[in-house]
């Protein structure tokens, strides 16, 4: 998995293999607490996750700081 910058300063692209439908926004209620999607959606600062083919676009809140959010994201990814 790899995190990439995007033209949108509030978005990062996470390259990840998944079984979700491209073009949808992920919903916390569709995942179990042990799933990466649940953990990412539950992070302070993450507003939503958009699904693309073999990637997720992580969108943060306007007032969230990427440095703090990325630290939390990397902690999740390191445990996979």
């Amino acid at each position: 998995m790899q995190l990439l910058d995007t033209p949108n300063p509030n978005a990062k692209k996470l390259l990840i293999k998944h079984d979700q439908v491209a073009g949808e926004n992920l919903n916390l209620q569709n995942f179990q607490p042990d799933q990466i999607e649940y953990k990412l959606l539950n992070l302070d600062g993450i507003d939503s996750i958009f699904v693309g083919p073999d990637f997720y676009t992580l969108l943060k809140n306007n007032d969230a700081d990427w440095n703090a959010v990325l630290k939390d994201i990397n902690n999740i990814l390191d445990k996979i």
Side-chain angles (χ1 to χ4, degrees):
M1 285 176 267
Q2 184 179 9
L3 272 171
L4 305 172
D5 290 332
T6 71
N8 179 346
N10 289 333
K12 298 283 185 189
K13 186 178 194 178
L14 175 63
L15 301 180
I16 184 172
K17 298 286 183 186
H18 60 76
D19 295 328
Q20 307 305 316
V21 177
E24 292 186 356
N25 285 304
L26 297 183
N27 186 327
L28 187 63
Q29 289 75 24
N30 294 335
F31 299 97
Q32 299 298 314
D34 62 333
Q35 293 178 282
I36 187 172
E37 292 86 355
Y38 184 95
K39 293 174 183 179
L40 292 170
L41 285 165
N42 227 8
L43 288 176
D44 285 336
I46 293 295
D47 188 46
S48 64
I49 300 176
F50 177 78
V51 179
D54 296 326
F55 71 88
Y56 290 154
T57 299
L58 309 175
L59 296 157
K60 73 170 187 70
N61 300 325
N62 286 333
D63 57 343
D65 177 36
W66 266 126
N67 291 326
V69 176
L70 288 174
K71 181 180 173 185
D72 292 338
I73 291 170
N74 285 325
N75 285 335
I76 290 170
L77 298 179
D78 286 344
K79 294 176 184 174
I80 296 176

